[in-house]
Amino acid sequence: MRLTETELFRGITEDEVGRMMLCFGARSERYTAGETVRAYHRNAGDVGILKSGALSIERMELDGGRTLLESLMPGGIFGEVLAFSSIARDNILVTAHAPSEVVFIDYSHIIRRCEKACDHHSLLVRNVLRLVADKTVRMSERIEVLSCRTIREKLLCCFGFLAARAGKRAFTLPFSFTELADYVCADRSAMMRELSHMRAAGLVRTEGRNIELL
């Protein structure tokens, strides 16, 4: 996808993005499925833009397990300064789940105004602030999901957020059921059994990753 189609460059033309990429010294890197893109237990001051492929942001637990924080599709933005600066000392991994291409920009270039003080640079800074706010909302939603006591409550809470985001009761899961189990911090088998009970109770209808709240 084109960089102008991402939220970071909303309202900025293709030509302006091209000039900024040169000014910022942006670089493009490719990753194979399963490869670690970034490990945020080390200092990293860049912002990544997923051009193609699929990434996940995960936290490594002390026992070797992983907790899914976010799944990214093309156009997704990630970076320590954007989403989890407050937990930067934890072992946060960005992992490729498919062959992926990522464009990296040093965060310092984004927030430091150049001598030309271009209007599109100001717009870029506003876009970054909006992304930080959006990330904060997503993390708040995650906290609310995890605060629920039962698997059913967690699923209904999560589905409610996804339905609200889609603007309708029917929506498509943005990740696999395995990742959904990680997201709600539940055993996958137990979660799938509960989902079956929810279908039987007339709470939801599912077809693959397509879900409808009834």
Side-chain angles (χ1 to χ4, degrees), residues 1 7 37-38 40 47-58 68-80 82-84 92-104 131 135 138 165 174-176 179 183 209:
M1 70 180 304
E7 288 298 309
V37 177
R38 279 292 182 273
Y40 286 108
V47 173
I49 308 164
L50 180 59
K51 286 194 68 177
S52 63
L55 304 177
S56 67
I57 300 176
E58 305 165 329
L68 178 69
L69 299 179
E70 188 177 1
S71 292
L72 297 178
M73 301 305 289
I77 312 292
F78 64 91
E80 182 180 26
L82 286 181
F84 32 76
I92 307 297
L93 300 179
V94 180
T95 306
H97 284 272
S100 303
E101 181 180 2
V102 180
V103 175
F104 288 101
L131 283 169
K135 293 283 187 180
R138 297 289 183 266
R165 208 172 298 164
F175 35 58
S176 69
E179 292 172 319
Y183 185 82
R209 288 167 52 195

Side-chain angles (χ1 to χ4, degrees), residues 32-47:
T32 58
E35 190 173 359
T36 297
V37 177
R38 279 292 182 273
Y40 286 108
H41 60 283
R42 299 185 293 269
N43 292 330
D46 52 17
V47 173

Side-chain angles (χ1 to χ4, degrees), residues 76-144:
I77 312 292
F78 64 91
E80 182 180 26
V81 291
L82 286 181
F84 32 76
S85 58
S86 62
I87 54 174
R89 290 185 177 85
D90 289 347
N91 193 349
I92 307 297
L93 300 179
V94 180
T95 306
H97 284 272
S100 303
E101 181 180 2
V102 180
V103 175
F104 288 101
I105 304 173
D106 287 335
Y107 184 67
S108 60
H109 284 301
I110 296 176
I111 61 174
R112 185 178 64 239
R113 296 298 302 273
C114 62
E115 295 177 355
K116 297 179 181 179
C118 306
D119 290 339
H120 49 265
H121 196 160
S122 298
L123 181 55
L124 179 68
V125 173
R126 289 199 294 271
N127 288 344
V128 169
L129 293 175
R130 188 180 65 252
L131 283 169
V132 171
D134 290 344
K135 293 283 187 180
T136 302
V137 170
R138 297 289 183 266
M139 295 302 288
S140 297
E141 291 176 352
R142 180 73 186 285
I143 291 171
E144 189 168 341

